[in-house]
Amino acid sequence: MSDTAAIENGTPIRKEFLQFCKASIGEEEINEVINTLKSGWLTTGPRCLDFEEEMKKYTKCKEAIAVNSCTAGAHILLKALNINQGDEVISTPMTFTSMVNNILHLKAKPIFSDVKETDINLDPDLLNDKITKNTKVIIATHYAGLPCDMDKINSIAKDNNLVVIEDAAHSIGSTYKGKHTGTISDAGVYSFYATKNITTGEGGMILTDNEELANKSRMLRLHGISKDAWKRYTKEGSWYYEVVDLGYKYNMTDIQAALGLVQLKKLEYFKEKRRTLVEYYKKSLADIDEVSTLKESEGTNPCWHIFPIKLDASGLKISKQEFMQALIKENIGISLHFIPLHLQPLFRNTLKTKEGDFPVAEKVYQQLISLPLYPEMTNQDIDDVANAIKKLINLYRK
Ligand SMILES: *Cc1c(COP(=O)(O)O)cnc(C)c1O
């Protein structure tokens, strides 16, 4: 092990850069995309329908609606629920901005609520204080793939007549008391963005057991037209359609669905790989006092999407930010999930949020580093990450 950090011109732990994330795309996916291109039907059609059917079987949910992103799916759901000016929607500050942007797009008011230190998920004990007569929805993000405390969140929602939407962008494959995340409350949305547990390049899926919400969402997905466009051009359809609502252009293509169909078949394998890698990570990092990891709650079986560690840099001569830079120089790809939304200029300006508003989110933000995690990683890769962390801690301990 080099006794100089790469950032100070020492030799990096790895010769080649370890990517932070990498999609697992095999020959099967490539062939299915080619078959779709050759079929002559490229946009929403039979493959999207198949993908929705397979998703229903996998999740045991009654309705599945393929869309072009998780963001779009959540936008449609909020719109279908008539979220409007004057309404309040509760969200964690530790999610991706698009989920909360949706609330602003509908002229409603985002209300942030703080998280738990153990898993960075919404702290149910804080929710009651955030609920007013204007609250309509709670968006529960399953951070890193670790399921939220859904029994408590659902029960608070029930007591206050609120709808719960699960932001399951990180957590396809994760279960909570035997149920798939995304299907535990009124509705949920998956993401198939390029980095997620399974991918269609860009894409998403709405899940719900509520038929009325599903029908409305299906309509809003394609311009508010009362029939799926693809049916209009087949012999079972007709040229006639009605525009009955103000909808969006949020449909998924059959090219994307072709990818999704193959990826979904591999999800349980990906989950197992991710789990094994996380266990190896935990073992490799266990003897470092400065590093702690997130806790899985009882009754949950997560499909880990990212592997965030918490680094206590108070005993180090460098800050966590400098530590992250030094890790990159050791050729370890890293990221951070997330910069708390209430500290972003958009929300500081529109909602007048400020430092100090959500102390737990701010505390963990000072500590979090997301380490690489994807099925193609090897134990050697994890050894390199752990050795790089150990090297830097030993070099920079006060
Ligand atoms: C990726 C992500 C989204 C957005 O997903 P898209 O499919 O890119 O719209 C939403 N929430 C979380 C927590 C995410 O990580």
Side-chain angles (χ1 to χ4, degrees):
M1 204 182 273
S2 158
D3 54 8
T4 313
I7 202 165
E8 296 181 43
N9 295 321
T11 311
I13 283 282
R14 274 178 73 99
K15 266 211 187 78
E16 285 181 8
F17 191 73
L18 176 66
Q19 275 172 255
F20 173 69
C21 57
K22 189 168 181 233
S24 298
I25 300 292
E27 285 300 315
E28 264 184 292
E29 282 88 342
I30 293 166
N31 290 335
E32 272 311 298
V33 168
I34 291 171
N35 289 341
T36 309
L37 294 175
K38 287 181 176 167
S39 79
W41 195 278
L42 304 188
T43 189
T44 314
R47 282 178 175 81
C48 276
L49 280 182
D50 280 355
F51 190 28
E52 291 175 345
E53 285 308 311
E54 291 305 315
M55 194 60 79
K56 286 197 271 187
K57 275 187 221 156
Y58 177 71
T59 59
K60 300 186 177 66
C61 193
K62 287 198 186 121
E63 305 269 4
I65 300 139
V67 285
N68 62 6
S69 72
C70 172
T71 306
H75 190 190
I76 285 175
L77 280 172
L78 292 171
K79 175 87 177 170
L81 292 164
N82 288 320
I83 297 307
N84 225 313
Q85 192 147 26
D87 293 336
E88 294 177 0
V89 177
I90 296 175
S91 165
T92 167
M94 298 302 277
T95 185
F96 188 59
T97 186
S98 67
M99 299 307 280
V100 181
N101 295 0
N102 278 331
I103 304 167
L104 290 178
H105 279 306
L106 293 168
K107 310 266 183 283
K109 189 175 181 195
I111 303 289
F112 292 118
S113 189
D114 213 348
V115 293
K116 290 179 289 172
E117 255 187 271
T118 48
D119 60 7
I120 331 280
N121 278 326
L122 277 177
D123 183 344
D125 294 337
L126 302 176
L127 287 174
N128 270 316
D129 281 348
K130 300 288 169 185
I131 295 170
T132 72
K133 62 179 189 337
N134 296 322
T135 311
K136 295 282 155 61
V137 174
I138 299 172
I139 300 177
T141 300
H142 303 295
Y143 180 89
L146 304 181
C148 291
D149 199 340
M150 290 312 294
D151 279 351
K152 279 192 188 161
I153 293 173
N154 282 337
S155 133
I156 291 165
K158 195 163 173 238
D159 290 346
N160 293 280
N161 209 12
L162 309 178
V163 172
V164 178
I165 296 175
E166 291 165 71
D167 170 4
H170 283 187
S171 68
I172 187 168
S174 301
T175 61
Y176 172 87
K177 300 188 177 174
K179 281 190 187 163
H180 278 276
T181 57
T183 72
I184 306 161
S185 55
D186 299 280
V189 200
Y190 292 144
S191 171
F192 311 125
Y193 179 67
T195 61
K196 300 290 158 78
N197 289 350
I198 63 169
T199 183
T200 61
E202 298 278 357
M205 185 82 72
I206 299 173
L207 299 154
T208 182
D209 281 340
N210 180 329
E211 202 185 327
E212 193 191 330
L213 189 58
N215 289 339
K216 221 163 173 192
S217 301
R218 218 169 263 122
M219 204 148 66
L220 289 170
R221 162 178 71 174
L222 201 62
H223 312 299
I225 286 175
S226 66
K227 262 184 191 172
D228 277 333
W230 77 280
K231 279 191 188 158
R232 288 189 279 122
Y233 302 113
T234 61
K235 59 178 186 290
E236 47 202 281
S238 81
W239 52 268
Y240 185 78
Y241 63 89
E242 284 183 351
V243 183
V244 296
D245 207 343
L246 180 60
Y248 305 95
K249 173 68 179 169
Y250 282 170
N251 56 309
M252 178 182 274
T253 69
D254 263 22
I255 307 168
Q256 291 167 306
L259 277 170
L261 277 163
V262 181
Q263 288 266 294
L264 184 56
K265 281 194 212 139
K266 299 181 176 175
L267 177 55
E268 286 299 312
Y269 163 75
F270 290 156
K271 175 176 175 177
E272 204 42 51
K273 283 291 280 183
R274 287 173 176 276
R275 241 199 125 67
T276 312
L277 292 167
V278 163
E279 269 154 31
Y280 192 70
Y281 254 131
K282 285 187 174 173
K283 222 167 58 193
S284 312
L285 300 170
D287 56 352
I288 312 176
D289 291 340
E290 287 84 351
V291 170
S292 57
T293 56
L294 304 189
K295 304 253 178 320
E296 297 180 12
S297 307
E298 227 177 289
T300 67
N301 184 348
C303 181
W304 285 80
H305 169 53
I306 49 173
F307 188 68
I309 58 162
K310 288 186 274 183
L311 175 76
D312 177 3
S314 61
L316 304 182
K317 284 180 270 189
I318 57 173
S319 68
K320 190 209 56 168
Q321 278 77 353
E322 289 166 324
F323 194 93
M324 288 169 78
Q325 272 325 105
L327 266 180
I328 292 168
K329 291 288 184 196
E330 299 295 335
N331 277 334
I332 306 297
I334 47 142
S335 188
L336 173 68
H337 299 80
F338 294 91
I339 302 167
L341 289 178
H342 71 281
L343 302 179
Q344 295 288 5
L346 171 68
F347 302 106
R348 284 182 192 261
N349 293 335
T350 52
L351 304 173
K352 306 291 168 222
T353 52
K354 56 187 185 315
E355 248 131 297
D357 283 353
F358 303 98
V360 181
E362 288 169 34
K363 180 180 172 193
V364 294
Y365 168 50
Q366 292 309 322
Q367 300 177 336
L368 283 171
I369 305 173
S370 300
L371 303 180
L373 181 66
Y374 42 92
E376 280 170 38
M377 277 177 74
T378 62
N379 284 358
Q380 180 60 53
D381 293 331
I382 293 180
D383 288 340
D384 291 343
V385 178
N387 286 335
I389 291 172
K390 285 177 192 167
K391 170 184 168 181
L392 294 173
I393 287 182
N394 287 333
L395 286 173
Y396 291 111
R397 246 193 212 117
K398 276 178 196 161

